[in-house]
Amino acid sequence: MKNQRILKQNDAAILSRLAEQLLRLADVELNVGEELLDIVSTSKILAADTERKDCVALYSSVSYTPANVDDKRILTLVCPHEANPELAYVSVLSPIGMALIGRKTLHIIDVALPANRMEKIKILEVANVNLISEVE
């Protein structure tokens, strides 16, 4: 399947817990929890002792470029409570985080932006970062 997501078992568990927390928030108009559950349910989940170095996971450093632009950018995908723009730690719940999680290097993906805009980005490289956390 083209652009199928591949998640580590631990990432799938963290995303599922985040989704459950978000679904409990009754006042959320467009609930990201539903989108997270969809991502987890349609992804290939790796066995507990398996890791893919070519796929974006939580705590991965990702270099990417907007499609057709030579402007390399780097971010680290983290849980929402660890997001820090100054360090380029981006929440998995952000539009780019939701688009990147589970995707493979060299894939071109669509990122849903505010005001119903879409941006295509190409994943250049994925590297593991030694940040470990759990959803509180």
Side-chain angles (χ1 to χ4, degrees), residues 61-96:
S61 175
V62 182
S63 63
Y64 68 96
T65 186
N68 302 322
V69 177
D70 193 23
D71 180 23
K72 184 177 174 182
R73 302 172 187 174
I74 300 173
L75 62 80
T76 300
L77 199 60
V78 297
C79 286
H81 64 279
E82 297 167 307
N84 183 335
E86 293 175 6
L87 299 175
Y89 288 0
V90 175
S91 169
V92 69
L93 298 182
S94 68
I96 194 164

Side-chain angles (χ1 to χ4, degrees), residues 85-127:
E86 293 175 6
L87 299 175
Y89 288 0
V90 175
S91 169
V92 69
L93 298 182
S94 68
I96 194 164
M98 296 284 281
L100 285 171
I101 190 72
R103 303 296 189 173
K104 290 176 62 175
T105 56
L106 303 182
H107 278 181
I108 296 174
I109 58 173
D110 290 322
V111 178
L113 299 172
N116 293 324
R117 295 179 309 141
M118 296 294 281
E119 180 179 32
K120 289 191 178 297
I121 63 170
K122 182 176 183 179
I123 302 169
L124 302 174
E125 188 177 1
V126 177

Side-chain angles (χ1 to χ4, degrees), residues 50-61:
T50 307
E51 190 169 318
R52 294 274 305 257
K53 295 185 187 291
D54 64 339
C55 294
V56 178
L58 283 170
Y59 308 105
S60 291
S61 175

